[in-house]
């Protein structure tokens, strides 16, 4: 089998190809449609929740507003 840059294979004890590792930076554009069709690039629940989360700036402003309101309430 010819060597292709960005693709490596590992063989099992019988000498059969067991795994193939593909560098998606090199071959991603060609493989993405196929992987999507196979359902391998669907977003996980973590990814969906991460997108719905607030940014660091939003968190910081909410935290500071809370601290300020608590400070005013206590004084």
């Amino acid at each position: 089998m010819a060597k292709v840059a960005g693709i490596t294979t590992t063989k099992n004890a019988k000498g059969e190809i067991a795994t193939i590792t593909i560098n998606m930076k090199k071959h991603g554009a060609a493989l993405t449609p196929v992987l999507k069709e196979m359902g391998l690039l669907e977003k996980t629940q973590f990814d969906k929740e991460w997108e719905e989360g607030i940014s660091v700036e939003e968190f910081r402003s909410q935290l500071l507003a809370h601290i300020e309101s608590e400070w005013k309430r206590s004084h």
Side-chain angles (χ1 to χ4, degrees), residues 2-55:
K3 293 271 183 184
V4 178
I7 299 177
T8 57
T9 59
T10 0
K11 296 183 179 184
N12 61 15
K14 295 179 184 177
E16 303 164 335
I17 295 176
T19 61
I20 298 174
T21 305
I22 301 170
N23 183 331
M24 291 298 286
K25 287 184 180 179
K26 288 188 176 209
H27 305 288
L31 292 173
T32 298
V34 175
L35 296 173
K36 280 185 179 179
E37 185 178 316
M38 294 172 65
L40 297 174
L41 294 181
E42 294 177 3
K43 293 183 179 178
T44 64
Q45 185 64 31
F46 175 82
D47 293 330
K48 293 174 187 174
E49 290 174 2
W50 184 265
E51 288 176 353
E52 294 171 4
I54 63 173
S55 68

Side-chain angles (χ1 to χ4, degrees), residues 50-73:
W50 184 265
E51 288 176 353
E52 294 171 4
I54 63 173
S55 68
V56 172
E57 292 80 20
E58 289 175 284
F59 174 76
R60 183 177 293 132
S61 67
Q62 289 178 12
L63 178 62
L64 292 175
H66 175 71
I67 291 171
E68 186 175 318
S69 67
E70 290 296 317
W71 179 264
K72 286 179 181 179
R73 194 174 69 153

